[in-house]
Short mmCIF file of all heavy atoms in Angstrom, two decimals:
data_model
loop_
_atom_site.label_atom_id
_atom_site.label_comp_id
_atom_site.label_asym_id
_atom_site.label_seq_id
_atom_site.Cartn_x
_atom_site.Cartn_y
_atom_site.Cartn_z
N SER A 1 0.83 -1.20 0.00
CA SER A 1 0.00 0.00 0.00
C SER A 1 0.87 1.26 0.00
O SER A 1 2.04 1.23 0.39
CB SER A 1 -0.92 0.01 1.22
OG SER A 1 -0.18 0.27 2.39
N TRP A 2 0.24 2.36 -0.40
CA TRP A 2 0.93 3.64 -0.43
C TRP A 2 1.41 4.02 0.97
O TRP A 2 2.52 4.51 1.15
CB TRP A 2 -0.04 4.70 -0.98
CG TRP A 2 0.58 6.05 -1.09
CD1 TRP A 2 1.33 6.51 -2.13
CD2 TRP A 2 0.52 7.11 -0.14
NE1 TRP A 2 1.74 7.79 -1.88
CE2 TRP A 2 1.26 8.19 -0.65
CE3 TRP A 2 -0.07 7.25 1.11
CZ2 TRP A 2 1.41 9.38 0.03
CZ3 TRP A 2 0.08 8.45 1.79
CH2 TRP A 2 0.81 9.49 1.24
N LYS A 3 0.58 3.76 1.97
CA LYS A 3 0.92 4.10 3.35
C LYS A 3 2.16 3.33 3.82
O LYS A 3 3.05 3.89 4.45
CB LYS A 3 -0.28 3.80 4.27
CG LYS A 3 -0.12 4.32 5.67
CD LYS A 3 -1.39 4.11 6.47
CE LYS A 3 -1.24 4.64 7.87
NZ LYS A 3 -2.47 4.50 8.65
N LYS A 4 2.21 2.05 3.49
CA LYS A 4 3.37 1.24 3.88
C LYS A 4 4.63 1.71 3.16
O LYS A 4 5.71 1.75 3.75
CB LYS A 4 3.12 -0.24 3.58
CG LYS A 4 2.21 -0.90 4.58
CD LYS A 4 2.11 -2.39 4.33
CE LYS A 4 1.19 -3.03 5.37
NZ LYS A 4 1.11 -4.47 5.21
N LYS A 5 4.48 2.07 1.89
CA LYS A 5 5.63 2.58 1.13
C LYS A 5 6.16 3.86 1.75
O LYS A 5 7.37 4.05 1.89
CB LYS A 5 5.24 2.83 -0.33
CG LYS A 5 5.08 1.58 -1.13
CD LYS A 5 4.72 1.89 -2.56
CE LYS A 5 4.44 0.62 -3.34
NZ LYS A 5 4.03 0.90 -4.71
N MET A 6 5.27 4.75 2.16
CA MET A 6 5.68 6.01 2.78
C MET A 6 6.38 5.76 4.11
O MET A 6 7.38 6.39 4.42
CB MET A 6 4.48 6.94 2.97
CG MET A 6 3.93 7.50 1.68
SD MET A 6 5.17 8.31 0.65
CE MET A 6 5.61 9.69 1.67
N LYS A 7 5.87 4.81 4.88
CA LYS A 7 6.52 4.47 6.16
C LYS A 7 7.94 3.96 5.91
O LYS A 7 8.87 4.31 6.63
CB LYS A 7 5.71 3.42 6.91
CG LYS A 7 4.55 3.97 7.67
CD LYS A 7 3.90 2.89 8.52
CE LYS A 7 2.80 3.46 9.38
NZ LYS A 7 2.23 2.46 10.28
N MET A 8 8.09 3.12 4.89
CA MET A 8 9.41 2.59 4.56
C MET A 8 10.35 3.72 4.14
O MET A 8 11.51 3.75 4.55
CB MET A 8 9.33 1.55 3.45
CG MET A 8 8.84 0.21 3.92
SD MET A 8 8.79 -1.02 2.61
CE MET A 8 10.49 -1.10 2.13
N ILE A 9 9.85 4.63 3.34
CA ILE A 9 10.68 5.75 2.88
C ILE A 9 11.13 6.59 4.07
O ILE A 9 12.31 6.93 4.19
CB ILE A 9 9.91 6.61 1.85
CG1 ILE A 9 9.76 5.83 0.53
CG2 ILE A 9 10.62 7.95 1.62
CD1 ILE A 9 8.80 6.45 -0.45
N PHE A 10 10.21 6.92 4.97
CA PHE A 10 10.58 7.70 6.15
C PHE A 10 11.56 6.95 7.04
O PHE A 10 12.48 7.54 7.59
CB PHE A 10 9.34 8.11 6.95
CG PHE A 10 8.56 9.21 6.30
CD1 PHE A 10 7.21 9.05 6.04
CD2 PHE A 10 9.16 10.40 5.94
CE1 PHE A 10 6.48 10.06 5.44
CE2 PHE A 10 8.44 11.42 5.34
CZ PHE A 10 7.10 11.25 5.08
N TYR A 11 11.38 5.64 7.16
CA TYR A 11 12.30 4.83 7.95
C TYR A 11 13.71 4.91 7.36
O TYR A 11 14.69 5.10 8.09
CB TYR A 11 11.83 3.38 8.01
CG TYR A 11 12.81 2.47 8.69
CD1 TYR A 11 12.90 2.43 10.07
CD2 TYR A 11 13.68 1.68 7.95
CE1 TYR A 11 13.83 1.62 10.71
CE2 TYR A 11 14.61 0.87 8.57
CZ TYR A 11 14.68 0.84 9.95
OH TYR A 11 15.61 0.04 10.56
N TRP A 12 13.82 4.77 6.04
CA TRP A 12 15.14 4.80 5.39
C TRP A 12 15.77 6.19 5.48
O TRP A 12 16.98 6.32 5.62
CB TRP A 12 15.06 4.31 3.95
CG TRP A 12 15.02 2.82 3.91
CD1 TRP A 12 13.96 2.03 3.60
CD2 TRP A 12 16.08 1.92 4.24
NE1 TRP A 12 14.30 0.71 3.73
CE2 TRP A 12 15.59 0.61 4.11
CE3 TRP A 12 17.40 2.10 4.65
CZ2 TRP A 12 16.37 -0.51 4.37
CZ3 TRP A 12 18.18 0.98 4.90
CH2 TRP A 12 17.66 -0.31 4.76
N ILE A 13 14.95 7.23 5.42
CA ILE A 13 15.48 8.59 5.57
C ILE A 13 16.05 8.76 6.98
O ILE A 13 17.16 9.27 7.16
CB ILE A 13 14.41 9.65 5.28
CG1 ILE A 13 14.09 9.67 3.78
CG2 ILE A 13 14.85 11.03 5.75
CD1 ILE A 13 12.89 10.50 3.41
N LYS A 14 15.31 8.32 7.99
CA LYS A 14 15.80 8.39 9.37
C LYS A 14 17.07 7.57 9.52
O LYS A 14 18.03 8.00 10.16
CB LYS A 14 14.74 7.89 10.34
CG LYS A 14 13.60 8.83 10.55
CD LYS A 14 12.61 8.22 11.54
CE LYS A 14 11.37 9.05 11.69
NZ LYS A 14 10.42 8.43 12.63
N SER A 15 17.08 6.38 8.93
CA SER A 15 18.25 5.51 9.01
C SER A 15 19.46 6.17 8.37
O SER A 15 20.57 6.11 8.90
CB SER A 15 17.98 4.17 8.32
OG SER A 15 16.99 3.45 8.99
N ALA A 16 19.25 6.81 7.23
CA ALA A 16 20.35 7.46 6.53
C ALA A 16 20.95 8.58 7.38
O ALA A 16 22.17 8.74 7.43
CB ALA A 16 19.87 8.01 5.19
N ARG A 17 20.11 9.32 8.07
CA ARG A 17 20.61 10.39 8.95
C ARG A 17 21.43 9.80 10.08
O ARG A 17 22.47 10.34 10.45
CB ARG A 17 19.45 11.19 9.51
CG ARG A 17 18.80 12.08 8.50
CD ARG A 17 17.71 12.89 9.13
NE ARG A 17 17.01 13.68 8.12
CZ ARG A 17 15.78 14.08 8.22
NH1 ARG A 17 15.07 13.78 9.30
NH2 ARG A 17 15.21 14.79 7.27
N LYS A 18 20.96 8.71 10.64
CA LYS A 18 21.68 8.07 11.74
C LYS A 18 22.96 7.41 11.26
O LYS A 18 23.91 7.25 12.02
CB LYS A 18 20.80 7.02 12.44
CG LYS A 18 19.48 7.54 12.94
CD LYS A 18 19.63 8.66 13.92
CE LYS A 18 18.27 9.11 14.41
NZ LYS A 18 18.29 10.32 15.16
N LEU A 19 22.99 7.04 10.01
CA LEU A 19 24.16 6.36 9.43
C LEU A 19 25.40 7.25 9.49
O LEU A 19 26.51 6.75 9.55
CB LEU A 19 23.85 5.95 8.00
CG LEU A 19 24.79 5.03 7.28
CD1 LEU A 19 24.96 3.73 8.06
CD2 LEU A 19 24.29 4.73 5.88
N THR A 20 25.21 8.56 9.52
CA THR A 20 26.36 9.46 9.54
C THR A 20 27.18 9.33 10.82
O THR A 20 28.34 9.73 10.84
CB THR A 20 25.92 10.94 9.38
OG1 THR A 20 25.06 11.28 10.46
CG2 THR A 20 25.21 11.16 8.06
N ILE A 21 26.59 8.76 11.89
CA ILE A 21 27.35 8.60 13.13
C ILE A 21 28.13 7.28 13.17
O ILE A 21 28.90 7.06 14.08
CB ILE A 21 26.45 8.72 14.38
CG1 ILE A 21 25.39 7.63 14.43
CG2 ILE A 21 25.83 10.11 14.47
CD1 ILE A 21 24.54 7.64 15.70
N CYS A 22 27.93 6.44 12.16
CA CYS A 22 28.66 5.17 12.09
C CYS A 22 30.09 5.41 11.63
O CYS A 22 30.35 6.35 10.87
CB CYS A 22 27.98 4.23 11.08
SG CYS A 22 26.42 3.57 11.62
N PRO A 23 31.01 4.56 12.06
CA PRO A 23 32.38 4.65 11.53
C PRO A 23 32.36 4.50 10.01
O PRO A 23 31.48 3.83 9.46
CB PRO A 23 33.09 3.47 12.20
CG PRO A 23 32.28 3.16 13.41
CD PRO A 23 30.86 3.49 13.06
N PRO A 24 33.33 5.09 9.33
CA PRO A 24 33.33 5.09 7.86
C PRO A 24 33.21 3.71 7.20
O PRO A 24 32.45 3.54 6.25
CB PRO A 24 34.67 5.75 7.50
CG PRO A 24 35.01 6.57 8.69
CD PRO A 24 34.44 5.86 9.88
N LYS A 25 33.93 2.73 7.71
CA LYS A 25 33.88 1.40 7.08
C LYS A 25 32.52 0.75 7.29
O LYS A 25 31.99 0.11 6.38
CB LYS A 25 35.00 0.51 7.63
CG LYS A 25 35.22 -0.76 6.84
CD LYS A 25 35.54 -0.53 5.37
CE LYS A 25 36.97 -0.16 5.16
NZ LYS A 25 37.37 -0.13 3.75
N CYS A 26 31.94 0.91 8.46
CA CYS A 26 30.59 0.38 8.71
C CYS A 26 29.59 1.03 7.76
O CYS A 26 28.72 0.37 7.19
CB CYS A 26 30.15 0.65 10.14
SG CYS A 26 31.01 -0.32 11.38
N ARG A 27 29.71 2.34 7.61
CA ARG A 27 28.82 3.08 6.71
C ARG A 27 28.97 2.59 5.28
O ARG A 27 27.98 2.35 4.58
CB ARG A 27 29.14 4.58 6.83
CG ARG A 27 28.22 5.46 6.03
CD ARG A 27 28.40 6.94 6.33
NE ARG A 27 29.77 7.40 6.35
CZ ARG A 27 30.39 7.88 7.42
NH1 ARG A 27 29.77 7.96 8.57
NH2 ARG A 27 31.64 8.29 7.34
N GLU A 28 30.20 2.40 4.84
CA GLU A 28 30.46 1.93 3.48
C GLU A 28 29.85 0.55 3.24
O GLU A 28 29.18 0.31 2.23
CB GLU A 28 31.97 1.88 3.22
CG GLU A 28 32.34 1.43 1.83
CD GLU A 28 33.84 1.41 1.59
OE1 GLU A 28 34.62 1.43 2.58
OE2 GLU A 28 34.23 1.34 0.42
N VAL A 29 30.05 -0.36 4.19
CA VAL A 29 29.52 -1.71 4.07
C VAL A 29 27.98 -1.68 4.06
O VAL A 29 27.34 -2.35 3.26
CB VAL A 29 30.05 -2.62 5.21
CG1 VAL A 29 29.29 -3.92 5.29
CG2 VAL A 29 31.54 -2.88 5.03
N PHE A 30 27.40 -0.88 4.95
CA PHE A 30 25.94 -0.77 5.01
C PHE A 30 25.38 -0.27 3.67
O PHE A 30 24.41 -0.82 3.15
CB PHE A 30 25.54 0.19 6.14
CG PHE A 30 24.07 0.30 6.34
CD1 PHE A 30 23.40 -0.58 7.17
CD2 PHE A 30 23.33 1.29 5.69
CE1 PHE A 30 22.03 -0.48 7.36
CE2 PHE A 30 21.96 1.40 5.87
CZ PHE A 30 21.31 0.51 6.70
N ILE A 31 25.99 0.74 3.11
CA ILE A 31 25.52 1.30 1.83
C ILE A 31 25.67 0.29 0.71
O ILE A 31 24.75 0.12 -0.11
CB ILE A 31 26.26 2.62 1.51
CG1 ILE A 31 25.80 3.69 2.50
CG2 ILE A 31 26.02 3.06 0.07
CD1 ILE A 31 26.63 4.96 2.47
N LEU A 32 26.79 -0.38 0.66
CA LEU A 32 26.99 -1.39 -0.39
C LEU A 32 25.96 -2.51 -0.28
O LEU A 32 25.48 -3.02 -1.29
CB LEU A 32 28.40 -1.98 -0.31
CG LEU A 32 29.53 -1.05 -0.76
CD1 LEU A 32 30.89 -1.65 -0.41
CD2 LEU A 32 29.44 -0.76 -2.25
N SER A 33 25.58 -2.86 0.94
CA SER A 33 24.61 -3.92 1.13
C SER A 33 23.18 -3.45 0.89
O SER A 33 22.46 -4.02 0.07
CB SER A 33 24.73 -4.47 2.56
OG SER A 33 23.72 -5.41 2.82
N LYS A 34 22.78 -2.39 1.59
CA LYS A 34 21.37 -1.98 1.57
C LYS A 34 20.99 -1.10 0.39
O LYS A 34 19.87 -1.16 -0.09
CB LYS A 34 21.02 -1.27 2.88
CG LYS A 34 21.19 -2.13 4.11
CD LYS A 34 20.28 -3.34 4.06
CE LYS A 34 20.41 -4.17 5.32
NZ LYS A 34 19.63 -5.39 5.26
N VAL A 35 21.90 -0.28 -0.07
CA VAL A 35 21.59 0.63 -1.19
C VAL A 35 21.95 -0.02 -2.52
O VAL A 35 21.14 -0.06 -3.44
CB VAL A 35 22.30 1.98 -1.01
CG1 VAL A 35 22.04 2.90 -2.20
CG2 VAL A 35 21.86 2.65 0.29
N ASP A 36 23.18 -0.53 -2.61
CA ASP A 36 23.63 -1.13 -3.86
C ASP A 36 23.16 -2.57 -4.04
O ASP A 36 23.24 -3.11 -5.13
CB ASP A 36 25.15 -1.07 -3.97
CG ASP A 36 25.68 0.36 -4.03
OD1 ASP A 36 24.87 1.28 -4.32
OD2 ASP A 36 26.88 0.57 -3.79
N GLY A 37 22.71 -3.18 -2.96
CA GLY A 37 22.16 -4.52 -3.05
C GLY A 37 23.18 -5.64 -3.21
O GLY A 37 22.83 -6.74 -3.66
N LEU A 38 24.43 -5.38 -2.82
CA LEU A 38 25.46 -6.41 -2.94
C LEU A 38 25.34 -7.42 -1.81
O LEU A 38 24.93 -7.09 -0.70
CB LEU A 38 26.85 -5.78 -2.91
CG LEU A 38 27.20 -4.82 -4.04
CD1 LEU A 38 28.62 -4.27 -3.84
CD2 LEU A 38 27.07 -5.47 -5.39
#
């Protein structure tokens, strides 16, 4: 549903903001996994 999609989008936006406090290598690995899908 549209509502569920919006919740997911907001969740990922919040996650992305919090990701900036992660150490660089953790951040890189997270992005490669969750964003790039590796």
Side-chain angles (χ1 to χ4, degrees):
S1 72
W2 182 84
K3 189 174 181 178
K4 283 186 179 183
K5 286 181 185 177
M6 290 306 295
K7 279 187 174 184
M8 282 182 61
I9 289 169
F10 285 126
Y11 174 79
W12 281 108
I13 289 170
K14 287 180 186 179
S15 295
R17 288 183 184 154
K18 304 301 181 190
L19 191 58
T20 61
I21 63 175
C22 289
K25 192 58 80 171
C26 289
R27 184 171 47 244
E28 181 180 16
V29 168
F30 184 88
I31 291 169
L32 288 170
S33 175
K34 299 298 183 185
V35 177
D36 296 343
L38 297 179

